[in-house]
Amino acid sequence: MAEQYINMNNLAVGYNGKALIHDICIGIEKGEIVTLIGPNGAGKSTILKSITRQLKIISGNVTIAEENLTKLSFRDLSTKMAVVLTERMKPELMTCHDIVATGRYPYTGKLGILSREDEQKVDEAMEAVHAQELGERDFNAISDGQRQRVLLARAICQEPEIIVLDEPTSFLDVRYKLELLSILRNMAKKKGITVIMSLHEIDLAEKVADKIICVKGDRIAHCGKPETIFQEETIRELYGIDNGYFDPVFGSLELPRPEGEPKVFVISSGGSGIPVYRRLQRKNIPFAAGVLYPNDIDYQLARLLAVQTVTEKPFEKISEQTFEEAVKLMDSCESVINAGIIIGSANHRIVELLEKAQQDGKLKSL
């Protein structure tokens, strides 16, 4: 078992001496990416502010490499930990280069004069987040997404062992969300920097994190690897989802299926049905799907969005019972869509379904 670099021991966090979340006992390895997820107001920011000493810890303790967090001087802490929080800075008459350069202050003298080496590290940090062109611009005159990149550059420039970020992707478009998370992943895996952050985008959290902390109520609801956390029931319970679904296969949130008796029967395989399912859902048309195998990617979405799904055991030929079930359901629908199914030896009876739909005047092809 790897040695724990950061330990939260029976930690309680909150405001004004009142604990909101109790009994936090979590170990973090060096170079891990740890992501906090959970509903708004659950306490993710409270935990982050507590481990960065912006809030006083109510009880328990946090250790970094076996050193108690509260015993570290602020100068020592600033060489170990960089922080990027959601509060918007409003510095007056400072360029983006000036903001990034403040990341070097823990290493400069009292006058804060940067050496040539310091200036080089500022330039390298801005280059790492693709913000070189922002260097001479007023920090208050750039977009929220650009500010986030500049603040990340400041954190990189600080050369920390730990980076703590609160919702770092909130103001970024898709390209820069992916770019920022890629930068953090490279820093963690190539330089051994430990990353602790909160994210709203659970699909991205699933893809980038080594460890997930689920925050809800007055305790940590779950903590573990993404593959154990991102299960349908766990996410539904964490966010109180009662108006849709979380799909662990796609890592996506899905709107509820259209209600009512199915009007369309979709025949598909190997992913060909997915765009059809989504189009019918957007139009609020109830539909059925079949004959699908549970190991087919179409089935994973159909089980959430279709009113009814006809299935057969994986790799088995379509049985008479399953075939009759599909015929009965198809007869009850107004139309049948062939989404582009591939016919093989196991599902060859699909040909009969297509021929019947053609004879009945219901068959539509894409």
Side-chain angles (χ1 to χ4, degrees):
M1 184 176 179
E3 184 179 348
Q4 303 298 314
Y5 175 60
I6 300 172
N7 273 293
M8 303 179 206
N9 305 300
N10 298 310
L11 188 65
V13 301
Y15 296 88
N16 302 319
K18 182 179 179 181
L20 300 179
I21 306 173
H22 308 262
D23 301 325
I24 305 173
C25 297
I26 294 170
I28 300 172
E29 297 173 20
K30 192 171 184 62
E32 270 196 315
I33 298 178
V34 178
T35 302
L36 283 68
I37 64 172
N40 285 337
K44 301 184 295 297
S45 296
T46 305
I47 293 173
L48 295 181
K49 288 179 179 179
S50 298
I51 66 175
T52 57
R53 285 175 57 178
Q54 298 192 32
L55 284 176
K56 186 176 181 181
I57 291 172
I58 306 298
S59 64
N61 64 77
V62 178
T63 59
I64 300 174
E66 300 185 350
E67 292 185 86
N68 193 310
L69 176 70
T70 59
K71 303 298 183 184
L72 292 169
S73 69
F74 280 107
R75 187 177 185 85
D76 287 342
L77 183 60
S78 66
T79 61
K80 288 182 179 293
M81 180 185 291
V83 183
V84 181
L85 298 181
T86 52
E87 284 82 358
R88 297 188 182 184
M89 297 174 57
K90 285 289 185 181
E92 297 298 331
L93 303 177
M94 290 185 72
T95 66
C96 294
H97 179 278
D98 295 335
I99 295 293
V100 177
T102 62
R104 296 305 302 164
Y105 287 175
Y107 305 97
T108 63
K110 291 183 179 180
L111 296 178
I113 299 173
L114 272 62
S115 67
R116 182 176 297 178
E117 182 184 356
D118 291 322
E119 288 286 0
Q120 182 178 347
K121 290 184 183 297
V122 172
D123 292 339
E124 289 172 354
M126 296 193 75
E127 184 179 355
V129 300
H130 306 290
Q132 306 98 306
E133 77 283 358
L134 301 175
E136 298 307 314
R137 293 184 60 182
D138 182 345
F139 182 75
N140 289 327
I142 60 176
S143 70
D144 287 332
Q146 290 171 326
R147 288 184 190 184
Q148 200 74 324
R149 281 193 284 151
V150 170
L151 293 177
L152 179 59
R154 183 184 67 168
I156 294 171
C157 193
Q158 201 170 321
E159 294 188 303
E161 297 176 14
I162 306 161
I163 292 184
V164 180
L165 309 100
D166 193 6
E167 300 174 18
T169 57
S170 292
F171 302 112
L172 302 181
D173 62 31
V174 173
R175 174 190 170 185
Y176 290 116
K177 285 180 195 285
L178 297 175
E179 187 171 76
L180 183 144
L181 293 177
S182 295
I183 292 168
L184 292 174
R185 182 181 61 189
N186 287 338
M187 292 172 66
K189 304 313 170 189
K190 292 181 180 179
K191 297 184 178 181
I193 295 172
T194 305
V195 177
I196 306 172
M197 62 181 166
S198 61
L199 282 181
H200 277 306
E201 302 92 334
I202 60 175
D203 57 329
L204 295 178
E206 182 179 11
K207 295 171 177 65
V208 75
D210 299 303
K211 182 176 291 177
I212 300 290
I213 299 173
C214 300
V215 184
K216 184 179 183 181
D218 63 355
R219 299 286 194 281
I220 297 300
H222 303 280
C223 180
K225 295 180 179 180
E227 51 267 32
T228 62
I229 297 298
F230 286 98
Q231 300 297 322
E232 195 170 344
E233 288 301 321
T234 303
I235 298 301
R236 177 184 290 125
E237 175 189 316
L238 177 64
Y239 288 96
I241 298 172
D242 58 5
N243 57 349
Y245 313 96
F246 171 74
D247 184 350
V249 175
F250 293 97
S252 61
L253 295 171
E254 302 292 345
L255 294 171
R257 61 172 64 92
E259 297 182 359
E261 294 297 319
K263 296 181 179 180
V264 179
F265 188 89
V266 182
I267 298 175
S268 67
S269 68
S272 65
I274 291 174
V276 180
Y277 303 159
R278 294 204 185 283
R279 188 168 73 235
L280 291 170
Q281 187 195 42
R282 287 195 297 271
K283 293 182 178 181
N284 202 36
I285 299 174
F287 68 91
V291 174
L292 292 172
Y293 293 90
N295 57 339
D296 189 323
I297 194 69
D298 278 350
Y299 169 78
Q300 301 301 327
L301 189 60
R303 70 186 181 86
L304 300 177
L305 303 188
V307 177
Q308 289 179 253
T309 305
V310 182
T311 62
E312 185 54 89
K313 295 177 182 178
F315 310 111
E316 295 288 338
K317 292 184 178 181
I318 296 174
S319 68
E320 188 62 34
Q321 181 179 350
T322 300
F323 181 79
E324 291 300 327
E325 181 184 352
V327 168
K328 183 177 179 181
L329 187 54
M330 195 172 70
D331 285 344
S332 69
C333 293
E334 297 172 5
S335 61
V336 177
I337 293 178
N338 177 3
I341 189 166
I342 298 173
I343 305 295
S345 58
N347 69 341
H348 193 263
R349 295 201 74 180
I350 292 292
V351 173
E352 297 177 51
L353 291 179
L354 294 173
E355 289 174 348
K356 184 178 189 309
Q358 182 71 49
Q359 293 170 2
D360 293 343
K362 294 183 176 183
L363 185 61
K364 299 179 181 179
S365 298
L366 296 180

